[in-house]
Amino acid sequence: MAETITLEVQRYNPEKDTEPGLQTYEVPLKKEWVVLDALNYVKDKVDGSLSFRWSCRMGICGSCGMMVNGEPKLTCATFLTDYAPGTVRVEPLKHFPVLRDLVVDITDFLAKLSRAKPWLIRKQEKPLAEGEYLQTPEQLDAFKQFSMCINCLLCYAACPVYGLDPLFSGPAAIALAQRYNMDSRDQGAAQRLDILSHSDGIWGCTFVGECTEVCPKHVDPAGAIQQYKLTATTEWFKSMLMPWRGE
Amino acid sequence: MGKRSNEPFLWMLFSVGGTIAALLLPVHVFLFGLAFPLGWLDGPGYEALLALARHPLTRVYLLVFCTLPLFHYAHRFRYTLYDGLQIKHLNELINTFCYGGAIVGTAFAVYLTWSI
Amino acid sequence: MAIPTYYPPRAYRTRVSTYWWLRSWPYLRFILRELSSISVAWFVLVTLLQLGALHRGPAEYARFGEWLRSPLMIAGNAVALFFLLFHAITWFNLAPKAMAVRIRGKRVPPLFITVPNYIAWLAASLFVAFVLLRG
Amino acid sequence: MELMLDISSHDLLIIGGGGAGLRAAIAASEVFPNLNIGIVSKVYPMRSHTVSAEGGAAGAIRSDDSLDEHAYDTISGGDWLCDQDAVEAFVKEAPEELLRLEHWGCPWNREPDGHIAVRPFGGMKKMRTWFAADKTGFHMLHTLFQTCLKHSAITRYDEYFATKLLVEEGRVQGCIALELMSGKLQAITAKAVILTTGGCGRVFRFTTNASIKTGDGMSLAYRAGAPLKDMEFIQYHPTGLPFTGILITEAVRSEGGYLLNKDGYRYLQDYNLGTPQPKPVLRSMELGPRDRLSQAFVKEVEKGRAVEGPYGPVVHLDLRHLGERIINTKLPFVRELCLKYENIDPVTELVPVRPVAHYMMGGVDTDINGATPLAGLYAAGEVACVSINGANRLGSNSLPELLVFGARAGVHAGRFALEQKSPGRHLLTQALDEEALIRRQFLPKTGRRERISAIREQMQKIMEDGAGIYRSGASLTEAAGKLRELQERFPNIALDDQSQAFNTELISAFELSSMLDVAETMVHCALNRCESRGAHQRTDFPARNDEKFLAHSLATRKADGTPQVSYSPVTITRWPPAERVYGK
Ligand SMILES: Cc1cc2nc3c(=O)[nH]c(=O)nc-3n(C[C@H](O)[C@H](O)[C@H](O)COP(=O)(O)OP(=O)(O)OC[C@H]3O[C@@H](n4cnc5c(N)ncnc54)[C@H](O)[C@@H]3O)c2cc1C
Ligand code: SF4
Ligand code: F3S
Ligand code: FES
């Protein structure tokens, strides 16, 4: 194994640069090092001004998503050795405004997430004293997959529709809405439908499917969206055929 | 949101049309587009085909075959133009072109299957 | 939940290139799949013209047959067939994603949806061929 | 670099957006709908460290279980240093809190009939640990965060780093925070403040803790004048991966994994932990208690029988004899972690492991309602010491702890806030002072040479060598001296980064300064406690000494910046101190 590997990192400092550029670093190549370790090596030993987000280093907090050689990846789970020999190019997640070096602005996603009402909606709350809402393992299984989203936003970086149209709600927000819709304890599907069943919501998705391909937690947002389309269509027909059913 | 968009309706046409196109179009293209013209297989003659086309079941079949896939096309092509060429701002024009085409085709199909 | 205002720093925004779909194979595959819709429209149009010719009598129909045999049409239909097969295969393969069928609380494995689709495809194709070739 | 200053104000300010912080915010907002609440968090709340917890959360619900048994397990596990009134409140409210989370949508695992499922857990005599697959903390945190989104009275300051508490007239009245995105300083005034900033595992070199766990809240409180309690008690987990510190769960050993030294010898047999059998035997060998296993590792290193790895000594965890099938069916997540984050396949390779710092039992001194001795300041979660964990926390007690005491702190701080007048007039001056200080301390371009990472690495080494699993008077005295030197060198750090937008190096500097404070209190508390109890093992005082040390250590900051250690009594209600017996 070679001793070192070349890291090409996108740098951008809004106070100095008008547009991003690439900077090259030589870093040690070790079997157990992931791309994030290489970045930390640079930050600690070479250039403290390199900025990026990270925290758990175990693929669960969702902070360290970046483009590695053009693909959206969790850098704490992407080994350097997979790219050796050769260079590793690290860029900020695509489709988001770049704040600094490898840090992108995700406020847009948070706003979209709130709009999808990702919380349990009940017509009538049950008092705690009456115990839990019963839910069988099968009912749990119906939404479990969609509840695994770590909000890493790799799917947004992979989805060309989001890149083209920033108004698009996007894969993770819709998958999380679907997570609650499919939860046997939830009664808020109708409220979420109005928000998601419009042209910036599910109908913007053309089923490119890359969101699902890149998702590190196997959430399958593409599936969630298509399933939602089916539900929305059924609901639409119901409301056309039986307008009196009402809201 | 108030009034809901008619996307669900268009999407349903797209889906059903897509399924019909997937199930039936390949064999049609293969036979009428390649096998018969190239003489790999002997297709039905004029009279036989006309008789077949006039059968009530065939009329229904043809009507479905010639309409729903057009709406599949209209929907899909609309988004291809939006995204592939990044011309979503021209959406009125695109919609007219795509769905307009599908509607004209449908009218044509209704007329032909009826009058043949 | 409210989010306080901040001094927005100058964020750098990239524009998606017009040729984004050339950038990677999955995107290219996607755009090809979407372009298959042109083949759909194309062959529906051919069929409509054929019905028109049929309607207008044997002479018209013969001329139409002649047109179909022209190299340009053969080439066009060959391309169309390629795209339609591509459409059919992607359509059937993606179907299980769009439909989460559950039987007794367990999600039906994708193959249980894909395989019947392929069988239906085969049956429909054989039936159409049988009706047309019977004579 | 030029700093800007902005001011905003809330009734209640919560610093920390992890499990404890979010729970406090929701509690306050539900009980006092008119309360205007702010949450400051240095990372987006759903990135907080609570997200990493795997195992589960304890709350007695089964008919064969009782609150008293949960309390007893907790108190004996904590080597009688727990405040028993707090433990009693904790075990009573834990099941309610976990149930509340269920009502908010947390996907707890279920029995076939739809009721909540519970699993056994280390140190708990009954099955009472609620779990959501092996991602319990993740599901709890996302449930809390998403539920929080529907409360319009809560204003979030995401990616704001709190640098200082504002204190006026002896009362905490807000904080100063740096907005990462812009580099702007924000003075946030409030009538009450709750600290929920989590633990400080990063003080050590090898830890399961995320990079954000740098003890900031402890340092904020300490500098504002609040005492830190029981800082010498740090829990080690015996099997962490070296370098990354990723946790390899106990389940690996329950399935029959061996611990081997460099000669391939099951060394635990030399430490009074039973004789090796091919199959796992409960309470013996690899299934001995966490602290004993960690201690055996240290001895093995001393004897020169550990394996020298690139990141220091390790021993090997051997799973190969279990075979691929067992590993895939019983331990899939372990294999995934090893493969995905360490490039090791346990089916064919030995897994290097070592004890890693895992959890901080001590923290900001609070009463049973989260109130610290400093008026207006509350704390909950890992940053606080209530104390229910005593000298050693039981696995799966800290997730319910953050719910129970997060909620309590939220309600009590909310009530306190409603009774206060508007914030004092001199806060703005303080904010301006802080701005000047930051500018002076971190941002001159010349004349500085120290690198942040160098000081940090030295601190971590000092802590490992001097205040690790085993400590002694000598090692601690040396550590204390070296830490003082680092404190003195700290002002000479040079930042490569002089810009405003997302200056993570500036944040690292703040974090390092927090960690130095926390490390000093740990070392001084450990030096003063001349006994061995729970996670605090003194080689020069190997026995527990209830006569002198059945007491909480309290570290307060002296004018010269060094800690002053004093003691306060432990609250004993119904369980008088006894021998801590394992495995009976
Ligand atoms: C690997 C691992 C597994 C674990 N498993 C279990 C388990 O199975 N069961 C169990 O009971 N416990 C477990 N624990 C312990 C438990 O997870 C933690 O004790 C608990 O999550 C701490 O939560 P918290 O809310 O106090 O802090 P955190 O979740 O750490 O949140 C701290 C918050 O404070 C913010 N913050 C910190 N400093 C600042 C600052 N200066 N300015 C602004 N904001 C700041 C952060 O942004 C963050 O939002 C585990 C711990 C680890 C490391
Ligand atoms: S859906 Fe997957 S890729 Fe998208 S944010 Fe969630 S975990 Fe990340
Ligand atoms: S990639 Fe985008 S277009 Fe739809 S299927 Fe996924 S959201
Ligand atoms: S650092 Fe947490 S997901 Fe990578």
Side-chain angles (χ1 to χ4, degrees), chain C residues 5 16 29-30 47 59 91 115:
Chain C
T5 54
V16 174
R29 199 175 51 202
F30 159 75
T47 308
W91 192 264
V115 170

Side-chain angles (χ1 to χ4, degrees), chain A residues 12 14 98 142 158 206-207 227, chain C residues 10-12 26-27 33 97-98 102:
Chain A
Y12 172 68
V98 181
T206 48
F207 207 173
Q227 289 160 29
Chain C
R10 262 183 327 125
Y12 182 79
Y27 287 169
R33 187 187 88 196
K97 271 218 184 314
R102 301 189 155 265

Side-chain angles (χ1 to χ4, degrees), chain D residues 82-225:
Chain D
C82 314
D83 280 337
Q84 297 183 3
D85 54 343
V87 173
E88 288 189 68
F90 165 69
V91 296
K92 177 165 170 295
E93 286 163 35
E96 294 164 21
E97 282 294 331
L98 294 170
L99 192 61
R100 188 168 279 123
L101 227 58
E102 194 279 330
H103 282 216
W104 291 342
C106 188
W108 297 117
N109 272 44
R110 305 286 179 148
E111 300 291 350
D113 66 359
H115 285 97
I116 301 287
V118 285
R119 60 157 63 140
F121 221 76
M124 302 278 185
K125 293 221 179 64
K126 291 279 164 62
M127 297 220 290
R128 62 169 76 98
T129 296
W130 302 38
F131 60 106
D134 49 13
K135 301 221 164 83
T136 307
F138 163 79
H139 285 299
M140 283 177 54
L141 185 65
H142 279 252
T143 302
L144 283 166
F145 177 63
Q146 290 165 3
T147 302
C148 205
L149 292 175
K150 74 176 179 194
H151 289 269
S152 54
I154 302 173
T155 302
R156 276 183 3 242
Y157 296 83
D158 293 341
E159 299 196 320
Y160 277 68
F161 186 97
T163 65
K164 183 182 164 53
L165 291 179
L166 294 171
V167 189
E168 194 171 303
E169 292 156 359
R171 181 157 69 86
V172 174
Q173 305 200 23
C175 82
I176 301 203
L178 181 91
E179 185 190 37
L180 265 77
M181 188 190 277
S182 63
K184 168 201 69 170
L185 277 188
Q186 177 98 22
I188 311 172
T189 64
K191 297 172 187 165
V193 173
I194 310 179
L195 284 172
T196 51
T197 53
C200 55
R202 284 274 154 182
V203 166
F204 293 88
R205 189 145 68 120
F206 298 102
T207 173
T208 57
N209 285 194
S211 67
I212 55 174
K213 300 200 72 173
T214 50
D216 303 340
M218 298 175 189
S219 166
L220 286 173
Y222 181 60
R223 290 188 186 184

Side-chain angles (χ1 to χ4, degrees), chain D residues 17-34:
Chain D
L22 295 173
R23 181 67 193 96
I26 299 174
S29 170
E30 281 186 345
V31 177
F32 308 107
N34 293 328

Side-chain angles (χ1 to χ4, degrees), chain A:
Chain A
M1 212 191 279
E3 299 279 284
T4 62
I5 189 164
T6 311
L7 209 59
E8 270 179 12
V9 184
Q10 179 171 318
R11 302 297 309 266
Y12 172 68
N13 181 339
E15 286 140 54
K16 296 196 192 115
D17 309 331
T18 48
E19 60 178 56
L22 286 178
Q23 191 164 344
T24 312
Y25 303 97
E26 271 314 291
V27 295
L29 178 60
K30 299 191 181 167
K31 172 176 177 273
E32 66 277 24
W33 271 25
V34 289
V35 173
L36 182 62
D37 296 320
L39 294 174
N40 268 319
Y41 172 86
V42 172
K43 182 159 189 76
D44 284 352
K45 307 279 183 222
V46 187
D47 183 350
S49 71
L50 180 64
S51 272
F52 50 92
R53 292 189 181 107
W54 72 289
S55 178
C56 68
R57 209 213 171 271
M58 55 188 282
I60 190 77
C61 74
S63 348
C64 69
M66 298 169 208
M67 306 300 291
V68 180
N69 281 6
E71 286 176 52
K73 293 274 187 194
L74 288 183
T75 49
C76 70
T78 306
F79 288 101
L80 287 175
T81 46
D82 292 348
Y83 297 89
T87 54
V88 185
R89 202 176 64 254
V90 189
E91 293 155 310
L93 277 185
K94 253 193 331 195
H95 304 155
F96 292 95
V98 181
L99 293 172
R100 172 82 195 267
D101 298 340
L102 299 167
V103 180
V104 294
D105 184 355
I106 64 165
T107 38
D108 175 53
F109 165 73
L110 277 126
K112 285 173 177 161
L113 180 66
S114 297
R115 258 179 268 138
K117 300 192 191 249
W119 52 79
L120 206 69
I121 299 175
R122 299 281 306 177
K123 298 206 174 93
Q124 187 81 58
E125 297 261 355
K126 172 162 143 177
L128 272 192
E130 285 171 30
E132 68 262 58
Y133 298 111
L134 293 185
Q135 181 167 65
T136 63
E138 288 76 29
Q139 289 172 322
L140 173 64
D141 194 53
F143 69 90
K144 187 87 195 188
Q145 182 179 27
F146 301 142
S147 76
M148 301 307 263
C149 172
I150 61 172
N151 300 175
C152 64
L153 307 188
L154 300 193
C155 51
Y156 283 74
C159 174
V161 173
Y162 181 63
L164 293 164
D165 179 6
L167 293 179
F168 174 43
S169 305
I174 301 176
L176 281 163
Q178 188 69 345
R179 171 247 176 275
Y180 284 93
N181 284 338
M182 307 284 287
D183 191 322
S184 57
R185 298 166 290 180
D186 184 81
Q187 300 169 330
Q191 292 186 35
R192 290 185 201 100
L193 188 70
D194 279 355
I195 295 158
L196 290 176
S197 182
H198 65 86
S199 55
D200 295 332
I202 44 177
W203 304 113
C205 162
T206 48
F207 207 173
V208 177
E210 276 305 288
C211 50
T212 289
E213 290 302 315
V214 301
C215 175
K217 297 290 143 186
H218 312 293
V219 173
D220 191 13
I225 299 174
Q226 312 319 311
Q227 289 160 29
Y228 208 125
K229 286 181 185 170
L230 207 61
T231 319
T233 307
T234 326
E235 287 301 316
W236 185 85
F237 271 92
K238 278 194 202 149
S239 71
M240 290 312 273
L241 296 175
M242 304 179 280
W244 60 88
R245 241 172 37 117
E247 302 294 280

